Amino acid sequence: QIGSQLVNVLYILDEPSIGLHQRDNERLINSLKNLRDIGNSVLVVEHDKDMILEADEVLDIGPRAGKHGGEVLWQGKPKDLLKADTITADYIIGKRKIEIPKERRHGNGNSLLLKGATGNNLKNVNLEIPLGKLVVVTGISGSGKSSLINGTLYPILNKHFYRAVQEPLPYKSIEGLENIDKIVDVDQTPIGRTPRSNPATYTGVFGDIRTLFSELPEAKIRGYKPGRFSFNVKGGRCETCQGGGLKVIEMNFLPDVYVHCETCNGKRFNRETLEVRYKGKSISDVLEMTIDEAVEFFQPIPKIYNKVKTLQEVGLGYISLGQQSTTLSGGEAQRIKLASFLVKGVTTEKTLFIFDEPSTGLHFHDISKLMVSLQSLIDLGHSVIVIEHQPDIIKCADWIIDVGPEAGKHGGEIVFAGTPEELAKNKKSQTARFIKEKLQK
């Protein structure tokens, strides 16, 4: 677009910094300024601090998320953010912070050792992952992080534990498999591909809610069992939309359009089922509650409360229990998966979790909550690997593995392995100067 030299064009970019190292982010900002300088307008939806501070004008929307948001709270020049009384401004001017842990964990003394990884641009890499720590894998875009973790390490472990068919990229050997007994890849793929799947069904809390409704006096008089309150089986659901609440209108050559079911008006259940109420709320009303409302509503019932509380703690208080999975972002899907693992209280203490850029689409405030959840996994005795560019997550690591030094054929080596404090002193690493800034603040 810069090369085309168009003028009077309005460019709209939605989170262009996703997947970019801070160094590449500087180049992106300069490119956007270039577009502006040749006579265009650039509108960017973004959480990145540098992008916000380099803007000509900032609009902050909130105050919270979901139905608690939707207002323009502040508009002005970045230098005037001190005057803004918003959560975004608090993080940018340093009134609120994502705190650096008081001490780095020493781990459990065990590690995984991958030797001779040569897939894609990897140059005979030997990788050691200390267990019982928060390990963050960094490096500029295209340096070989994904080839090393997603393309080599994860498929090896997945094949070993679950006989998965995906072949890992070439490597010589792996040691230390006896130190873990489960591998979990918490990625950003959708939790379901139909409007019928939602956070309540994915985390299993909907089963407990259905049981609660079936034990109410009104339900017992009518002989309703938990299945009556399911929208996946015949009996209690609306049969016009088969419990989806929506009808699909197939458009030739265009994406399908979803409209509210005219029979149940999106409530998913038939009239008789909706007549059974707990504290004045029908099963449909419960599905429409936000997680925050559900936490308050189900406080007297520990089994349900603990599950919805976990969803709230990973920063999803604003989504509704029955929100269709097709409307959830990748970052939200990833946090629902994380919450479902926390809810189940993973039985084994030797689980290795892999997260690929969990900061995608997250505000500073959400990153703060995410870090609490990741740290709680390690406190339970698990190990966590995070592939990440976000400096606030990198500075909280117990151990950093920096891949580089550059991208493509000039990358594919481990430039550094150690603590954030040691990384800040490293001269070869592209990540070092950004971490140095964060550790000094």
Side-chain angles (χ1 to χ4, degrees), residues 12-282:
I12 299 177
L13 296 96
D14 191 0
E15 301 218 37
S17 71
I18 286 175
L20 289 189
H21 188 271
Q22 292 299 106
R23 187 201 69 177
D24 299 321
N25 207 18
E26 290 175 344
R27 295 175 178 179
L28 169 71
I29 292 168
N30 290 333
S31 301
L32 296 180
K33 286 182 173 178
N34 209 331
L35 281 175
R36 172 200 67 190
D37 294 342
I38 60 174
N40 299 301
S41 304
V42 183
L43 182 60
V44 184
V45 181
E46 190 54 271
H47 295 293
D48 181 73
K49 183 176 179 177
D50 295 335
M51 187 82 75
I52 294 168
L53 292 174
E54 292 290 334
D56 299 311
E57 186 89 0
V58 177
L59 269 98
D60 198 10
I61 296 175
R64 297 275 169 180
K67 62 180 178 185
H68 304 299
E71 299 170 40
V72 174
L73 301 176
W74 186 83
Q75 182 173 355
K77 303 275 178 283
K79 62 178 179 12
D80 296 327
L81 271 167
L82 276 167
K83 300 173 193 168
D85 183 22
T86 70
I87 294 175
T88 307
D90 285 354
Y91 277 98
I92 286 179
I93 62 180
K95 199 189 281 186
R96 296 190 195 208
K97 285 181 186 160
I98 295 166
E99 295 295 340
I100 298 170
K102 291 194 171 55
E103 58 176 334
R104 309 289 177 192
R105 288 185 183 85
H106 300 298
N108 59 20
N110 296 321
S111 60
L112 277 178
L113 185 58
L114 171 68
K115 291 183 178 175
T118 54
N120 296 334
N121 68 337
L122 297 174
K123 294 174 182 152
N124 202 18
V125 167
N126 294 334
L127 169 73
E128 184 173 6
I129 301 281
L131 300 174
K133 291 186 179 187
L134 173 58
V135 177
V136 177
V137 181
T138 63
I140 57 176
S141 315
S143 60
K145 303 182 300 298
S146 291
S147 298
L148 189 57
I149 305 299
N150 297 334
T152 312
L153 182 68
Y154 174 65
I156 293 169
L157 299 173
N158 208 16
K159 201 166 187 179
H160 175 76
F161 291 115
Y162 307 118
R163 300 186 183 150
V165 291
Q166 186 193 350
E167 285 295 329
L169 293 172
Y171 72 102
K172 281 183 189 145
S173 65
I174 187 156
E175 297 167 20
L177 289 176
E178 69 281 1
N179 297 322
I180 57 170
D181 50 22
K182 194 173 180 185
I183 173 79
V184 176
D185 184 22
V186 189
D187 60 15
Q188 299 194 359
T189 54
I191 58 169
R193 298 190 183 275
T194 68
R196 201 169 280 164
S197 61
N198 57 51
T201 54
Y202 190 86
T203 55
V205 71
F206 194 46
D208 300 327
I209 292 169
R210 293 197 334 252
T211 302
L212 169 71
F213 270 83
S214 69
E215 287 170 355
L216 295 172
E218 180 69 21
K220 285 188 169 173
I221 292 166
R222 297 179 179 211
Y224 292 169
K225 299 282 183 286
R228 177 84 197 193
F229 300 95
S230 166
F231 43 74
N232 287 325
V233 292
K234 286 183 178 179
R237 69 181 184 183
C238 164
E239 283 306 319
T240 309
C241 61
Q242 296 189 330
L246 300 167
K247 292 195 81 175
V248 184
I249 298 175
E250 291 180 12
M251 310 285 282
N252 291 336
F253 313 114
L254 289 169
D256 293 344
V257 173
Y258 291 99
V259 295
H260 272 306
C261 167
E262 70 276 8
T263 308
C264 65
N265 198 23
K267 291 193 181 295
R268 301 175 176 224
F269 297 92
N270 58 33
R271 186 175 54 81
E272 292 78 11
T273 309
L274 294 172
E275 283 169 358
V276 178
R277 292 174 178 267
Y278 171 68
K279 295 205 302 202
K281 302 282 185 189
S282 70

Side-chain angles (χ1 to χ4, degrees), residues 353-418:
F353 289 88
I354 297 177
F355 291 84
D356 193 354
E357 300 221 30
S359 70
T360 300
L362 296 196
H363 187 273
F364 309 107
H365 197 51
D366 296 320
I367 290 173
S368 178
K369 292 177 181 174
L370 173 74
M371 289 318 299
V372 172
S373 301
L374 293 182
Q375 301 286 14
S376 70
L377 280 176
I378 302 163
D379 292 339
L380 289 168
H382 307 302
S383 304
V384 175
I385 299 175
V386 180
I387 303 171
E388 192 52 86
H389 295 293
Q390 220 285 347
D392 284 310
I393 292 182
I394 299 170
K395 76 180 184 187
C396 294
D398 300 313
W399 194 257
I400 294 174
I401 294 162
D402 195 43
V403 184
E406 290 291 329
K409 65 180 180 183
H410 303 297
E413 299 171 34
I414 290 180
V415 177
F416 167 85

